[in-house]
Amino acid sequence: MTPEQTDFWKEFQHTGSVADYLRFKQAAAQEETENAEHNIGTGASGSKIS
């Protein structure tokens, strides 16, 4: 969990707000997308090019 995600999670725990939870989920999804894009390349796991 990134520091940004941690902040969003703590805010959600404090407020219980759906908006705060959605900010947390959005940050997590963005990080996952960035990690997936970073891992794409020649020889990456699952690629057909070795």
Side-chain angles (χ1 to χ4, degrees):
M1 193 179 301
T2 67
E4 181 181 50
Q5 288 174 301
T6 301
D7 291 343
F8 288 139
W9 182 253
K10 287 180 182 177
E11 189 65 24
F12 167 66
Q13 285 181 311
H14 177 72
T15 65
S17 166
V18 171
D20 289 331
Y21 178 74
L22 293 176
R23 278 189 280 275
F24 165 76
K25 291 296 286 181
Q26 182 178 21
Q30 182 169 349
E31 180 185 359
E32 186 174 318
T33 298
E34 289 170 0
N35 288 341
E37 288 173 355
H38 176 74
N39 291 333
I40 294 174
T42 303
S45 178
S47 72
K48 293 183 179 185
I49 301 173
S50 301

